[in-house]
Amino acid sequence: MLTTEVVIIGGGATGAGILRDLSMRGVKAILIERGDLGCGTSSRFHGLLHSGGRYAVRDKNAAIECIEENQILRRIGKHCVEPISSIFIRTPEDDEAYEGTWLEACKEAGISTKPLELSKLFEMEPNVSRKVKSAYLCPGAAIDGFRMLWQIFDSANRHGGKTLTYTNVIGIDSENGKVVGVTVQDMHSKEIYKIACNYLISATGPWCSRVAQLAGIDINVKPSKGSLIAFNHRICTNVIHRLHKPSDADIFVPHGTVTILGTTSIDSDPDDNSTSQEEVECMMKIGEATFENLRDYRILRVFAGCRPLYSAGNSSGRNASRDFAAIDHGKEHGLANFMSVCGGKFTTHRQMAQKVCDMVCPVLGNTAKCTTHEVPLIEEPSEQLMQRAKAVFPSYAAELAENRQGAQRLEQLVKDIEKDNKLGEIVCECENVSRAEINAVAEDSTSHSISDIRRRTRLGMGTCQGTFCTYRAVGTVKSLKKDWTEDTSKLFREFLEARWKGIRPVLWGNQMRDVDLTRGIYEVSLNINHEEKKHE
Amino acid sequence: MAKLKSDNPDQCISCNICLTACPVARATRKYRGPKLTGPALTRLRMLIEDQDPMLQYCSNCKNCDRVCPSGTPISTLNMKARSAYYKKNPHTLAEKILSNNELMGKTITSIPFASTIANLGMKITKAAGAFEIVGMSSKAPFPTYAKKSFSAMFKSISQPKCDKKVLFFPGCYVNYNEPQVGVDLVHVFNHNNIEVLIDDNFVCCGSPMISAGYIDKVQHNADINSKILASYAKQGIDIITTCTTCALILKQEYDELFELEAVKEYNVHMYDAIEYLLNMYERGELKTDFKTLNKKEIYHTPCHLKVQGYGKPTLKLLNKIPGVEVVDADAGCCGLSGIYGYKTNTAEVAAIVGSKLQKTIKESDAHEGVCECNICRLQMQNNTGKKAYHPLHTIRQAYGI
Ligand SMILES: Cc1cc2nc3c(=O)[nH]c(=O)nc-3n(C[C@H](O)[C@H](O)[C@H](O)COP(=O)(O)OP(=O)(O)OC[C@H]3O[C@@H](n4cnc5c(N)ncnc54)[C@H](O)[C@@H]3O)c2cc1C
């Protein structure tokens, strides 16, 4: 039987942070995720590295945590953080009195707020509404969730941490009021087996209640769904917030090649990540106060995630505390060596992990100190490697590949292309993803579908939403002859359906024309919706 | 306000039709096509900076814009990216020289005998290999300079007083290299009781500067020209051009590049000379006292005319002249595309693109070539053994004036 000290359930930011922290303290740990890494809330979020400004008035502690972690992640996660700023703008619709309160609260929390002259604002952000009354510069930034998770796992793995993806935890095993392990099922082979451990941490975000239920424990985690709209290009250079009491659709985050507007807050089932057209319309209306020409920008798609809001009482939605909860089930429910961790933010995942490990490690007899804030997630590439990369990749692609894959993998990619220059060809033109990169990620043991490759490369996440790169990617992975690449019609369907899901609620204008083109290629030319007829 | 139209890559749905229409992408694999260089990479350029050698390969012929079913200003996105690139990287000497066409033209045509010396000088420098040193191709067909500028010649033409007046925008080429086109225009219009006005305050439309990556400098020219054009349009005076590139820049690109409000005030009053005459013909207003000419001409459609979408008036009008047969060369782009064909790094591509047109003309049994665009005509004459004229030349001949 597989045995380890700690089992962590959930491959989102929280679980990843805990795995890295434990591994760096020398605790043996295995993380179990039922899907791909980051397939839950941690890839269905806004991508904002909070400065704390949003929470300063209502929740000073949360604001302080944000600004502390903001500084740390900018340092240790350089490849995942776009070091831009946040601009808070007050529009005519926003309460003027709030401005003073907010400035005071930011000052108390140690968040810098630099007043921006409007002429300077319009120079920096030419698309922002000319009706803006005042503006402040804060240290918020954009953070790439997929990439950071991937790099946290890499870092954890280097310290001995292990991960099992596509593995569902279906039972919690206990003896004498103590957790002794979990029962899991391999989602591909359907095999069921047990893993023994001394301690179990559930970091399953909005699914925390369900997992606790496996041990017969009731906890009150209210999933609250938030929807996000992705626009085709960067309509702003910095994050743009409305300067008012936190509310729906009041933040735009420029994220890689796109801009994301969000969000909403609706009580829901944790598995529900749908978005309605009404929600989109509602957000667009609000968004127009920030960008008057918002409707001229093309919406690529929508997506949604569920916040894991923990409350001891019954409050839900935006009023529940954002602070995280670490519930010691030994103390609270009489089942020792089991803890549920939920709530918090992506921004503060490292600090949450540190606090959790500070509680768990003494139980295991480990007294090591947390060092996760001191060590960068991945190494910087050498100047020489970047030069070699620039020589073999098309323009722009070298830096993007380095950011996505890190120096170590980049070196292998460069070697691959140096050997066979055809591997330098771009498969996804919208996001500049090369064949070499697709091959390398497809070869990784955690890849089982084109969507898995997408999460690590941004394949298919740009303008064409898979119209041209899907068949290229399927062709590319098919030639690798792996188990999961045999059934190409399955690969096509899985990826295109996932793209389609996000496009459906925004099916108008150019996006509708784009979808028609996609259908022309896949339904008409490639006929993927019809199984091959068997001849008698 | 935000430069929505031209900075916004959102129109593009990545259909790649532009790739199939791009003469450069067909000629060289160094250029990965308009969609990628234009809208696709515009998104990435907002995120990261990089050296992008592909930027120099767009010839700005605008076939991509013409075929785009979504109305994406692809070539303008390219030109803007090129211009931004040159803010951080030095221009080549060739780009500096070639984009100075107006100053060179003005200087050379204003000094007696200077054109002879300049033309001779060009031959000598070419022979001495100096062209290659500054990065210009010695194989490309360079224009020669005129002895006297068009505006100087215009002043010595005595026009009849007519009620109907049009304003002519001659552009640098007619002004300094081939004033005869302008002179033919004045005579043909006068014959139809239309007086031609010119305005000494016009400056170069800016096309060579756009191609060489000096968009900022063009804004100055755009301001001057658009104000003048709008002031005439307001008086109900139509504006005539003979150069299809100047026309495109004035009618459309000033707006795409700088969002000049004035453009909308005058662009509906702008006509290509032949388009204007054909319109008159169709209304029964054009004099048709044509002589029989007995010649066969081969017509090449300039890319910058095609993209304006008003058909091929020259083919229609010249065929009304007794004894004139005009055939359509239908051989794609001439390749030169302004300064593109003269810089060594792109001249090779230009030569490949233009070879089809040259071959078609050479093998044709037509007596001469005919085309509105000045630069296209240079390519039509380049190693084809045939002369090429502006259609006004034939019309004036037919009128016998
Ligand atoms: C709309 C929205 C916008 C947000 N914006 C921001 C923002 O801009 N900045 C910010 O800092 N934070 C933001 N947040 C908050 C942030 O995204 C979350 O706090 C964070 O991602 C939670 O991570 P997690 O690891 O706790 O949960 P998750 O990422 O959801 O991870 C839980 C994982 O557990 C797995 N799992 C569940 N059950 C099982 C099982 N039985 N067996 C195995 N695995 C299981 C799931 O598959 C999932 O991958 C946002 C949240 C939402 C919803």
Side-chain angles (χ1 to χ4, degrees), chain A residues 9-16 32-50 55 143 149 167-170 203-207 211 214 224-228 253 263-264 304-308 341-348 352:
Chain A
I9 316 174
T14 311
I32 300 167
E33 164 59 51
R34 62 175 181 175
D36 186 21
L37 298 173
C39 69
T41 322
S42 300
S43 66
R44 309 186 147 275
F45 78 128
H46 208 157
L48 169 63
L49 181 64
H50 281 284
Y55 306 111
I143 187 162
L149 280 179
T167 305
N168 194 17
V169 174
I170 53 171
T204 48
W207 293 273
V211 171
L214 295 175
S224 163
K225 190 177 69 170
S227 286
L228 299 142
V253 182
T263 165
T264 52
C306 278
R307 297 175 189 84
V341 184
C342 68
K345 292 169 227 7
F346 196 112
T347 305
T348 53
M352 282 163 64

Side-chain angles (χ1 to χ4, degrees), chain B residues 321-338:
Chain B
I321 300 172
V324 173
E325 187 196 343
V326 193
V327 293
D328 194 347
D330 193 18
C333 173
C334 84
L336 286 180
S337 256

Side-chain angles (χ1 to χ4, degrees), chain A residues 477-531:
Chain A
V477 300
K478 166 87 180 163
S479 63
L480 299 178
K481 296 192 168 43
K482 306 196 76 79
D483 283 350
W484 62 272
T485 66
E486 277 310 298
D487 186 351
T488 50
S489 69
K490 190 170 143 205
L491 293 179
F492 272 122
R493 267 203 296 270
E494 183 276 329
F495 194 60
L496 291 169
E497 269 163 21
R499 298 286 85 197
W500 170 236
K501 184 175 170 221
I503 298 171
R504 235 170 100 146
V506 289
L507 208 52
W508 56 77
N510 262 340
Q511 208 54 8
M512 178 130 93
R513 298 176 61 235
D514 206 328
V515 164
D516 241 11
L517 180 63
T518 316
R519 287 182 50 198
I521 293 178
Y522 293 94
E523 275 199 81
V524 182
S525 301
L526 297 176
N527 198 26
I528 57 159
N529 272 338
H530 300 276
E531 290 289 319

Side-chain angles (χ1 to χ4, degrees), chain B residues 34-158:
Chain B
K35 182 212 87 178
L36 191 73
T37 319
L41 288 180
T42 293
R43 295 170 71 246
L44 280 172
R45 286 183 200 110
M46 293 174 178
L47 178 66
I48 51 170
E49 273 176 29
D50 200 4
Q51 298 282 332
D52 188 357
M54 244 188 354
L55 276 174
Q56 66 186 327
Y57 284 102
C58 169
S59 73
N60 203 21
C61 72
K62 297 188 177 284
N63 280 298
C64 46
D65 299 0
R66 178 173 59 83
V67 298
C68 178
S70 312
T72 316
I74 308 169
S75 59
T76 300
L77 290 171
N78 280 347
M79 289 306 116
K80 284 201 148 188
R82 184 183 290 173
S83 195
Y85 173 82
Y86 278 127
K87 283 200 178 125
K88 304 235 160 107
N89 296 280
H91 277 88
T92 64
L93 197 51
E95 282 157 343
K96 284 186 195 157
I97 296 172
L98 292 166
S99 61
N100 255 325
N101 59 312
E102 190 180 25
L103 183 66
M104 293 228 294
K106 244 185 209 157
T107 318
I108 293 171
T109 54
S110 62
I111 307 167
F113 303 113
S115 64
T116 321
I117 299 165
N119 292 335
L120 190 67
M122 201 127 79
K123 279 192 192 124
I124 296 168
T125 0
K126 244 184 181 180
F131 267 43
E132 261 79 13
I133 295 169
V134 299
M136 296 195 289
S137 166
S138 60
K139 291 195 198 81
F142 268 86
T144 52
Y145 285 100
K147 293 198 173 64
K148 229 172 153 185
S149 73
F150 170 69
S151 46
M153 289 168 85
F154 178 81
K155 289 192 178 97
S156 56
I157 304 174
S158 71

